[in-house]
Amino acid sequence: MLEIIDCQIETKTWRITLPNIQVHKGELLVITGPSGIGKSTLLHWLLGNIPQHVVMKGKIILSGNNLTELPIEQRRVGLLMQDVYLFPHLNVLDNICFALPKTPLRSSKKQRRAAAMDLLAQINLTHLASRYPQNLSGGERSRVGLIRALANQPQVMLLDEPFAALDPSTREKMGTWAFQQLAEQNIPSVMVSHDVEDIPDAAQQLCLADYYQTLEQK
């Protein structure tokens, strides 16, 4: 379970004080609000990329462990953004191999490729294994991006407008598929969205505008 406790986002002119939040395994929290109100800032704080233009306060607790002061590489938090960055010089299979954690059973290149192919097989995408990113459609890139993020075995997944660049039909199918993958793997997830149509019925919603407070200038 992900817990966000006593969280506060503050600038010189405004402050947002959030209620305590719990996102259980397999659940999705969707953060909404107008542009510039701090949605992506909150997401990057959860990731461990501490924003410089605001003051962030609060605690991030994951499965009872305090992540607040840990660096990004120790948090095991996945991130999927609107612009899915895949290494252009690697094909789909090798992009996923790159994300796989190193273990005794995945020490050789052959073992890692077999594990990556198993992931693609689970979602019927083995036909994309040898393709390069520039030869993928937007929907294919999004699916490969999510699988690569899941390959790193994150304990939490963050999604920043991940389907905004897709056409409406593809976006709906991609969202349904992605949320199903996250729920099946019991991963608590937090997504930023501007479009209410992207929000599943079962998701928690948090509108930052509801907690916005203008500060008096001294």
Side-chain angles (χ1 to χ4, degrees):
M1 179 173 67
L2 171 68
E3 298 176 82
I4 305 172
I5 300 172
D6 297 331
C7 180
Q8 191 174 85
I9 310 170
E10 185 172 321
T11 71
K12 293 180 179 179
T13 58
W14 55 264
R15 177 191 298 137
I16 291 175
T17 303
L18 297 178
N20 290 343
I21 299 163
Q22 293 184 341
V23 187
H24 293 268
K25 291 182 177 180
E27 290 185 346
L28 172 68
L29 168 68
V30 180
I31 300 171
T32 62
S35 297
I37 202 169
K39 299 186 299 298
S40 293
T41 296
L42 178 58
L43 215 62
H44 281 276
W45 177 66
L46 294 173
L47 180 67
N49 182 15
I50 308 302
Q52 301 299 312
H53 62 289
V54 299
V55 176
M56 296 292 308
K57 298 178 182 177
K59 293 181 181 178
I60 305 164
I61 308 296
L62 181 61
S63 300
N65 299 314
N66 191 338
L67 305 186
T68 314
E69 301 300 328
L70 291 181
I72 292 177
E73 62 273 14
Q74 294 182 22
R75 295 195 180 199
R76 292 186 62 186
V77 175
L79 176 65
L80 185 65
M81 304 181 70
Q82 177 178 335
D83 297 323
V84 179
Y85 179 77
L86 300 174
F87 296 114
H89 62 290
L90 299 179
N91 62 25
V92 166
L93 188 65
D94 288 335
N95 262 283
I96 296 172
C97 285
F98 184 86
L100 287 168
K102 293 182 180 179
T103 68
L105 296 178
R106 295 174 179 169
S107 57
S108 70
K109 185 175 183 179
K110 182 178 180 180
Q111 290 171 324
R112 295 174 70 79
R113 284 194 161 193
M117 188 62 82
D118 284 344
L119 287 173
L120 289 172
Q122 290 175 21
I123 57 168
N124 300 315
L125 286 182
T126 54
H127 62 286
L128 298 180
S130 61
R131 288 195 198 175
Y132 285 81
Q134 59 267 33
N135 297 320
L136 300 176
S137 68
E140 289 169 343
R141 286 178 66 90
S142 293
R143 283 186 286 171
V144 171
L146 180 62
I147 288 302
R148 189 180 67 170
L150 292 175
N152 200 34
Q153 299 177 357
Q155 294 187 41
V156 175
M157 182 65 71
L158 307 178
L159 304 102
D160 194 352
E161 299 276 2
F163 317 125
L166 304 177
D167 64 80
S169 176
T170 304
R171 184 170 66 203
E172 181 179 358
K173 293 176 182 177
M174 181 62 207
T176 300
W177 176 83
F179 301 136
Q180 181 182 0
Q181 297 295 316
L182 294 165
E184 287 178 355
Q185 297 196 33
N186 284 321
I187 299 175
S189 306
V190 181
M191 181 175 79
V192 162
S193 179
H194 281 98
D195 194 335
V196 294
E197 293 184 0
D198 288 342
I199 303 175
D201 293 338
Q204 295 185 55
Q205 292 189 46
L206 179 72
C207 181
L208 297 191
D210 292 342
Y211 306 97
Y212 182 92
Q213 174 189 4
T214 301
L215 300 180
E216 293 184 6
Q217 297 297 299
K218 297 180 179 180

